Every structure is written in structure tokens, then in C-alpha cells.
Amino acid sequence: QVQLVESGGGSVQAGGSLRLSCVVFGITYTPNCMGWFRQTPGKERDRVATIWTAGGSIYYSDSVKGRFTISHDNAKKALYLQMNSLKPEDTAMYYCAATYKSCDVMKITATTFGYWGQGTQVTVSS
């Protein structure tokens, strides 16, 4: 059974940094595409960053470009999100996602991802 487990969330002041981690259990082969999404109450789940694990192509949403960095470690079956210069508007529940489907990191949406973590809360205070 595939299981994604996130960690690294917490509370920080604006301008601070956090590093989210996501470890994937129950798999033999690395998913083709992995990503981070975030969601606030009453709103849709928004894509933050996605990565094609085999080719290295990466997408960032405009709101995080230049501040966040997505990376992965195939050997550890892990996905990371380094978040710098955090802003109060980054406050959300962050979810890790994975899929074995074809991956166009520029176009892929939440509905394509079949595997999700339970989420980790990030709170940024001003």
C-alpha cells in the first residue's frame, strides 16, 4: 500500500524558512511526477510546485517562484520543499502528491495525482 508521509511544517515569522519532507512508503519504483500543493479552509487545493522525477523538469507557481525549491531523492524515495522568505499568505496545509501517470509539470493538476499525504500545517505570522 502506497503511503506518503509529510513532515517539517510549523509556525514561523514572516521572512523565515521551513523545509518540508515527504517520504513515500510501499513503492518499488519512483513515481513519474511528484508535487506539493497547499490548501486553506474554503478554498481549492492549489499547486505549489511539481517535478518530473526522471527528467528534472520543474514547475513553480508564480506566488512561490524564487522563494521555494522543490527537490527529490530517489534513493530515499523522498520529496522536499525548501521554503524561504515565507509570507503570511503562505499559511496553509501543505500536501505531498505522487503519480505514475505521464508528467507534464507545466500542465499537471491535482486530479492527476493518485497518491496524497495527510498534510502538514505551515503557519506564517507577520
Side-chain angles (χ1 to χ4, degrees), residues 57-114:
S57 298
I58 291 174
Y59 162 89
Y60 293 104
S61 67
D62 288 341
S63 61
V64 307
K65 199 173 296 182
R67 300 187 297 121
F68 290 11
T69 303
I70 188 172
S71 62
H72 70 100
D73 185 327
N74 285 347
K76 295 182 179 180
K77 297 183 175 61
L79 182 73
Y80 306 100
L81 187 68
Q82 178 66 43
M83 306 186 295
N84 298 328
S85 303
L86 282 161
K87 304 175 181 180
E89 50 264 43
D90 294 319
T91 295
M93 184 71 79
Y94 283 71
Y95 297 90
C96 171
T99 181
Y100 286 96
K101 295 180 179 179
S102 298
C103 179
D104 181 339
V105 294
M106 303 305 294
K107 298 179 180 179
I108 197 167
T109 62
T111 57
T112 305
F113 289 90

Side-chain angles (χ1 to χ4, degrees), residues 16-79:
S17 298
L18 285 173
R19 186 179 189 234
L20 305 184
S21 298
C22 171
V23 178
V24 187
F25 297 95
I27 61 172
T28 301
Y29 302 102
T30 300
N32 288 336
C33 198
M34 300 186 72
W36 290 98
F37 290 75
R38 65 187 181 186
Q39 188 173 25
T40 55
K43 294 189 177 181
E44 292 186 354
R45 193 167 293 188
D46 291 330
R47 185 164 54 129
V48 175
T50 47
I51 185 168
W52 175 33
T53 59
S57 298
I58 291 174
Y59 162 89
Y60 293 104
S61 67
D62 288 341
S63 61
V64 307
K65 199 173 296 182
R67 300 187 297 121
F68 290 11
T69 303
I70 188 172
S71 62
H72 70 100
D73 185 327
N74 285 347
K76 295 182 179 180
K77 297 183 175 61
L79 182 73

Side-chain angles (χ1 to χ4, degrees), residues 111-124:
T111 57
T112 305
F113 289 90
Y115 302 106
W116 291 88
Q118 80 289 350
T120 185
Q121 177 68 37
V122 171
T123 302
V124 185

